[in-house]
Amino acid sequence: MGAALLIQRWYRQYVARLEMRRRCTWNIFQSIEYAGEQDQIKLYNFFGYLMDHFTPASSERNLISHIFRENNICRNVDWERYFCYKSIEVPKLYSGPHLSFPITCSNAAELVEAFKNKQQLHSRYVLQLLGETWRLLRILPNISQISTCHSKEITICGDLHGHLEDLLLVFYKNGLPSSEKPYVFNGDFVDRGKDSLEILLILFSFLLVYPNDVHLNRGNHEDHIVNLRYGFTKEVLGKYRLHGKKILKLLQKIFSWLPLATVIDNKVLVLHGGISDTTDLHLISRVDRHKYVSALRPPKRKRQNRSGMTDSDLEDDDPTTKPVDSSRRRVHSLTHSSSTGTRHEVQRRSLQGLNNRVTCSVEEELKERRRQAGLSQSYGDLRNSLANSDSDPDSGELLESYGDEWKQIVDMLWSDPMPQDGCVPNEVRGGGCYWGPDVTEEVLQRHNLTLLIRSHECKQEGYEFCHNRRVLTIFSASNYYEVGSNRGYQANRATRALTLRQSVGRTERSALRALREKLFAHKSDLISSFQEYDPENTGLISLGHWACAMEAVLRLGLPWRVLRTQLVGDTLDGMLDYHLWFRELAITEPNTEVSLLETMYKHHSNLETIFRIIDTDNSGLISFEEFRQTWKLLSSHLQTEISDEAISDLAVSIDFNKDGSIDINEFMEAFRLIEKILGHIDYSYRPLSIGDHNNIMT
């Protein structure tokens, strides 16, 4: 009996240690993920201020203006002509699936099998399928109403994020969608995974066959701006080089027409993100959802000008074919302002020195606006700021923001629950809010509902109840952060074969690798912070000061004292030699300008986003001048000085074939992290040769 008790005690301690490691690993992944989302929103806000405050002739404004052009929703005939598929021939040698329209259940089932076998659908069928989906979505309500009176159960699927294996496993376990097996897919179908487009095509095909039994809710990743950063744009252009641009434009319209929520039996509310203390489903049911092409920025309400024409009459329907009218000036519009006293306080920097052609008055205005940049803030301040848009007296037009509607949509797509009562800005993600159990109770009671089902957050077991079981989170993409990191639908065979210890160990190594990348990206800032605790320049600081400095610089909200054993080796009487520590992390000195390299690693996702915005023809190539403008935009956004000489040297070093243009993918791969045999990481810069391109370690 004594031996059995000892074994039991040991096992409990063993499992407890594994659970602690798992939670730390989870915190690392989640903190890095949310920090990336926050960076995405800050960058887009910065672009918004450029559009609102700079003259149309400015080069910086012209570089990014096309992502802000709102599609005219009135002239759908012109759009249908632009997306016409009839001129695209399907060659006789094509061996992929064939579709007939109206699409049938057998067509949809064949499409599932084809994608399962790694086949690709021809671009003619893709455009035709997307066109039919767009026409159907336009007649659907903002909030779908469904009932279980005909079918005893409804399958609700959470985030898929391009994980086709998980969707296939859902179908294997629950059956294909049909009138007897209805489904609700709760947003975030795309990004991160490699099969996002295939998932969309499958879901759209079943939606066309069973429009009353298949329901799709919009997620925060059904947004063309978010897609620039998280992979979907790159995926589509890689799979359909000839017609990828048209496919993306049509998907942009489709995303804006996706319903925002689903209500089951008048009792269960299903939406992607969450709610806030101002959520009003009656208001949501009446909004023109298609105006919110991107939820990151509210549309502008257009009124008649002096000639009696509306802005819609003046704007071009196809934003891909004509440049912006440079004769019109964008009026000032403050879309976001910041809140204070939060866990991740928004950094306040001015835009001084962004463009030497800007007048002092505009620079002063931008300084003030920049201090207010950031999506999350007190909602009262948001409404007030949205009402302060100026009008252009010369054009006679007045542009007004859809402040209340926009806030409702952002909350539905971006918010997360919290255990405490109340409703506060979600400044960890940068968008939406955190809402508590009291808000859940009030909103459900006000709308006579009993349960809220949402997705948006990765959960260890694939689901999680909170708020007295009144809120259920469902996340269906397994292995989201790393193989074995979360269950989802556990589609990966390798994952199912891992023991608990193997799964935790594998995920932990991946998380620490990602964290070490963060350490390198902030090396200079960390050393400066360490030196504040080392006024005598001894090179030594206490472990307590080390933990404080780590959080002050990285602001990831991680338990640094717990992670110390994973990140810090031997110490001398409790004092850390931080210079030696960096050397032990295998962070080597770069061969190029330090500030440029660190900026590249720290903001590589922002940099790639800017590249893909500037690459308007989606060729994957940008000129040296566009490359220079990209870096200038980024340095202005970050308020860092990067010399023209350093930028030019970098451009020349990665122009492998010396044709005067830069391949975006090759540039992003030129700065890569090389894992050493001992588990350390070499962060040195090494320009790739042409022969290296096919041997990239991703």
Side-chain angles (χ1 to χ4, degrees), residues 537-550:
N537 294 320
T538 63
L540 301 175
I541 58 173
S542 69
L543 293 176
H545 287 158
W546 171 84
C548 292
M550 294 287 281

Side-chain angles (χ1 to χ4, degrees), residues 508-555:
E508 185 180 55
R509 287 191 295 273
S510 179
L512 291 173
R513 187 182 309 119
L515 188 56
R516 289 190 181 101
E517 293 176 17
K518 282 283 185 183
L519 296 180
F520 168 74
H522 294 80
K523 178 181 178 182
S524 297
D525 294 335
L526 283 170
I527 289 179
S528 297
S529 185
F530 292 155
Q531 288 172 343
E532 292 180 5
Y533 295 105
D534 181 25
E536 298 181 1
N537 294 320
T538 63
L540 301 175
I541 58 173
S542 69
L543 293 176
H545 287 158
W546 171 84
C548 292
M550 294 287 281
E551 180 57 28
V553 172
L554 298 178
R555 292 187 292 180

Side-chain angles (χ1 to χ4, degrees), residues 309-363:
M309 300 281 286
T310 65
D311 292 333
S312 297
D313 296 324
L314 296 173
E315 291 181 352
D316 172 49
D317 258 329
D318 178 15
T320 66
T321 57
K322 293 184 180 180
V324 177
D325 183 358
S326 61
S327 66
R328 293 178 55 202
R329 180 176 69 85
R330 282 284 184 122
V331 300
H332 295 185
S333 172
L334 179 61
T335 56
H336 311 301
S337 60
S338 66
S339 62
T340 59
T342 57
R343 172 180 158 196
H344 293 278
E345 183 180 359
V346 179
Q347 297 216 356
R348 300 181 176 187
R349 303 187 181 97
S350 71
L351 286 175
Q352 186 177 10
L354 175 62
N355 189 321
N356 55 15
R357 291 176 294 174
V358 182
T359 63
C360 294
S361 61
V362 173
E363 286 193 1

Side-chain angles (χ1 to χ4, degrees), residues 50-90:
L50 287 184
M51 292 299 299
D52 289 337
H53 295 279
F54 282 77
T55 61
S58 68
S59 57
E60 288 87 352
R61 191 182 191 277
N62 287 335
L63 284 171
I64 51 102
S65 61
H66 64 94
I67 67 170
F68 290 98
R69 256 170 273 165
E70 297 171 9
N71 301 335
N72 189 338
I73 50 88
C74 298
R75 302 173 183 173
N76 290 320
V77 173
D78 294 335
W79 276 98
E80 292 194 22
R81 187 183 308 118
Y82 174 71
F83 294 119
C84 183
Y85 59 87
K86 295 180 180 178
S87 61
I88 303 175
E89 296 291 336
V90 179

Side-chain angles (χ1 to χ4, degrees), residues 267-269 444 449-453 465 469-472:
K267 291 297 181 182
V268 179
L269 173 64
L444 292 182
L449 300 167
T450 59
L451 178 67
L452 168 63
I453 298 179
F465 279 100
R469 299 184 70 87
R470 302 294 297 275
V471 174
L472 171 62

Side-chain angles (χ1 to χ4, degrees), residues 572-586:
L572 181 62
D573 297 327
M575 302 295 288
L576 172 67
D577 184 332
Y578 51 87
H579 294 294
L580 176 62
W581 176 62
F582 273 113
R583 289 195 294 272
E584 288 178 346
L585 285 175

Side-chain angles (χ1 to χ4, degrees), residues 218-228 255 293-296:
R218 184 178 184 177
N220 64 307
H221 278 263
E222 277 67 65
D223 187 313
H224 70 285
I225 301 299
V226 178
N227 300 153
L228 285 167
F255 287 166
V293 179
S294 173
L296 299 182

